[in-house]
Amino acid sequence: MSKIVQFSTIGALMAGHFRGECCLEDINHPRAFGVGCSAELNGELTIAEGQFWEATAGTALHNLDQQSKVPFIQLTEFIPQRAVDVENISQLNAEQLLEQQIDKQNVFVAVCIEATFEEMIIRRPQPDNGKQRGITEVAGAQQVDTHHNIQGRLIGFWTPELFGRVSVPGFHFHFLNYASDISGHVLEYRASRAQLSFEEKPTIEITNPTSQSYKELIIDVAKLDRLISQVEK
């Protein structure tokens, strides 16, 4: 799969469309790699080797059933076109390090960073417990955890600013440790040594939800950029 396959958009998610409509069974393949979230924003999804890991506050990391339906997902088959060893990588300089390898300004790039991370800060949403929530309420109640000297990988994508309402602009990373018992949305990280691998993706295929609730969704475009920056960065 040379393309990115995506269901819904980050804009629709930020506008409150949390309903699970995309069945994982319909999009999965053995080398699936990517990020997403589960229905009602109850968990962060990290996809690796065709496994869908759901990270929710207060719950052990687990695989979602293939019959589960999700509101947003972005995945691909990851076959690195290059892998390089880098030093002293963090959220502050990862863009610069990637730019040394590829002209990424206007292209989508699948990215993986593997290391023993001296520091890894991740977050996980609280379960909704049947309560209807807005995006700011979900973001404000997430559990943030800091891990030290943890082995694992960052899984995600680089999205050009031009597509910032389709996907998270810049880097969007989730973390999965090698033991597959710790995961979440990445806030900060640093590693003295790491392997940076990447693959340029010339095509992104987006499928929108078909429910009536999505068709009637009111998206305030003027607020979207602020919300995306506030919630995803």
Side-chain angles (χ1 to χ4, degrees), residues 10-11 14-15 165 219-229:
I10 197 67
M14 294 298 105
R165 293 168 184 168
I219 300 178
D220 187 341
V221 177
K223 293 182 179 180
L224 265 187
D225 294 342
R226 176 180 57 81
L227 273 173
I228 293 170
S229 178

Side-chain angles (χ1 to χ4, degrees), residues 13-70:
L13 194 68
M14 294 298 105
H17 192 74
F18 307 156
R19 176 180 173 179
E21 296 189 39
C22 175
C23 184
L24 297 181
E25 185 178 42
D26 294 338
I27 61 171
N28 193 20
H29 57 86
R31 301 184 70 166
F33 166 105
V35 296
C37 60
S38 52
E40 306 308 324
L41 292 188
N42 278 325
E44 298 280 3
L45 292 186
T46 305
I47 302 101
E49 286 83 43
Q51 299 294 309
F52 296 84
W53 299 97
E54 183 183 33
T56 303
T59 303
L61 187 67
H62 56 278
N63 279 133
L64 275 189
D65 185 274
Q66 292 292 300
Q67 302 304 313
S68 298
K69 294 183 178 182
V70 299

Side-chain angles (χ1 to χ4, degrees), residues 116-128:
T116 297
F117 295 91
E118 284 84 7
E119 182 176 62
M120 174 64 62
I121 303 177
I122 56 176
R123 71 177 185 211
R124 296 173 290 158
Q126 301 287 343
D128 70 334

Side-chain angles (χ1 to χ4, degrees), residues 8-223:
S8 193
T9 62
I10 197 67
L13 194 68
M14 294 298 105
H17 192 74
F18 307 156
R19 176 180 173 179
E21 296 189 39
C22 175
C23 184
L24 297 181
E25 185 178 42
D26 294 338
I27 61 171
N28 193 20
H29 57 86
R31 301 184 70 166
F33 166 105
V35 296
C37 60
S38 52
E40 306 308 324
L41 292 188
N42 278 325
E44 298 280 3
L45 292 186
T46 305
I47 302 101
E49 286 83 43
Q51 299 294 309
F52 296 84
W53 299 97
E54 183 183 33
T56 303
T59 303
L61 187 67
H62 56 278
N63 279 133
L64 275 189
D65 185 274
Q66 292 292 300
Q67 302 304 313
S68 298
K69 294 183 178 182
V70 299
F72 173 83
I73 198 162
Q74 187 178 38
L75 56 79
T76 190
E77 181 179 13
F78 185 58
I79 304 175
Q81 67 193 71
R82 193 177 309 164
V84 295
D85 294 328
V86 295
E87 296 184 353
N88 300 318
I89 190 170
S90 73
Q91 75 280 359
L92 300 177
N93 67 355
E95 179 178 351
Q96 179 183 358
L97 291 171
L98 183 60
E99 281 182 337
Q100 293 174 4
Q101 306 297 325
I102 186 173
D103 187 2
K104 58 155 186 59
Q105 180 175 343
N106 296 315
V107 297
F108 285 87
V109 186
V111 183
C112 182
I113 301 174
E114 298 186 71
T116 297
F117 295 91
E118 284 84 7
E119 182 176 62
M120 174 64 62
I121 303 177
I122 56 176
R123 71 177 185 211
R124 296 173 290 158
Q126 301 287 343
D128 70 334
N129 295 319
K131 178 183 177 183
Q132 188 172 4
R133 305 178 292 178
I135 188 65
T136 53
E137 186 178 359
V138 174
Q142 296 192 87
Q143 179 175 322
V144 176
D145 297 304
T146 301
H147 300 274
H148 297 285
N149 299 315
I150 184 169
Q151 294 183 320
R153 52 183 164 166
L154 303 185
I155 290 173
F157 298 93
W158 167 269
T159 295
E161 193 73 27
L162 176 65
F163 297 93
R165 293 168 184 168
V166 169
S167 176
V168 178
F171 286 116
H172 182 190
F173 281 131
H174 288 188
F175 174 73
L176 179 65
N177 72 336
Y178 289 145
S180 296
D181 58 11
I182 296 174
S183 186
H185 177 96
V186 175
L187 297 176
E188 297 181 29
Y189 61 93
R190 58 181 174 86
S192 57
R193 292 180 177 82
Q195 183 179 78
L196 168 65
S197 54
F198 57 90
E199 182 186 10
E200 182 178 336
K201 296 292 180 176
T203 303
I204 181 167
E205 179 182 282
I206 301 168
T207 300
N208 282 322
T210 58
S211 64
Q212 193 63 30
S213 60
Y214 174 77
K215 293 176 182 178
E216 295 174 352
L217 184 67
I218 297 174
I219 300 178
D220 187 341
V221 177
K223 293 182 179 180

